[in-house]
Amino acid sequence: MRRELIEALNFPRELVLKIIDQRDCPHESLFKATDDRCQQCGLNRECHWVSCLNEFGDFEGKATHTLNASLRYGIDLVGTLHSKLRHDQKTCDCEPCVWMRDSQRLTEAFDARFASNRYRNLY
């Protein structure tokens, strides 16, 4: 399950990086909390999220709960970015909709497997 969570994080990360690239980011898509431009940018939360993922570096060292929480944020992010398309996310075959359905199933499987015992070692 860890591998699937890690792989699923690639889609929203790449999506945000493409959007940031279109905005001519002076920091090469790296969020800087002390920079006024980053603070005023409409993508500061998304950019910060990508920066956190980049800081993970080696995902293998992160707790499965952290990966799952990051994926949940990614699902919300993709849903928000694509909500303007106004199509049925339950039946649409576009890449974002398929990814969201698959990722939601993955987080539901995570909940079903691990939520019952919060003290269980997840490594």
Side-chain angles (χ1 to χ4, degrees):
M1 178 164 289
R2 286 181 58 77
R3 178 67 35 214
E4 291 94 354
L5 289 167
I6 292 168
E7 290 173 6
L9 285 167
N10 285 327
F11 181 78
R13 181 180 176 275
E14 292 299 319
L15 181 66
V16 171
L17 287 173
K18 285 178 190 175
I19 293 170
I20 292 169
D21 285 345
Q22 294 170 358
R23 295 206 174 184
D24 191 32
C25 177
H27 303 295
E28 298 178 13
S29 304
L30 297 174
F31 179 78
K32 295 202 181 223
T34 58
D35 187 285
D36 287 338
R37 185 167 174 185
C38 286
Q39 293 297 324
Q40 301 302 318
C41 179
L43 288 174
N44 68 5
R45 271 189 267 150
E46 293 84 352
C47 187
H48 186 255
W49 178 75
V50 167
S51 294
C52 287
L53 289 181
N54 290 342
E55 287 175 13
F56 283 3
D58 179 17
F59 285 104
E60 296 302 325
K62 294 299 173 190
T64 307
H65 282 310
T66 301
L67 298 172
N68 186 54
S70 295
L71 182 57
R72 288 180 185 278
Y73 184 83
I75 292 168
D76 290 343
L77 182 80
V78 172
T80 299
L81 291 172
H82 285 85
S83 64
K84 295 176 185 170
L85 297 177
R86 299 181 191 259
H87 47 102
D88 187 357
Q89 294 177 354
K90 292 181 181 183
T91 60
C92 181
D93 288 331
C94 75
E95 186 177 16
C97 288
V98 170
W99 177 86
M100 285 193 323
R101 284 193 302 270
D102 291 345
S103 296
Q104 286 169 338
R105 281 193 286 272
L106 183 58
T107 59
E108 289 168 4
F110 176 89
D111 290 345
R113 184 172 177 191
F114 295 114
S116 62
N117 183 355
R118 65 182 187 189
Y119 300 108
R120 183 178 192 173
N121 186 0
L122 300 178
Y123 288 102

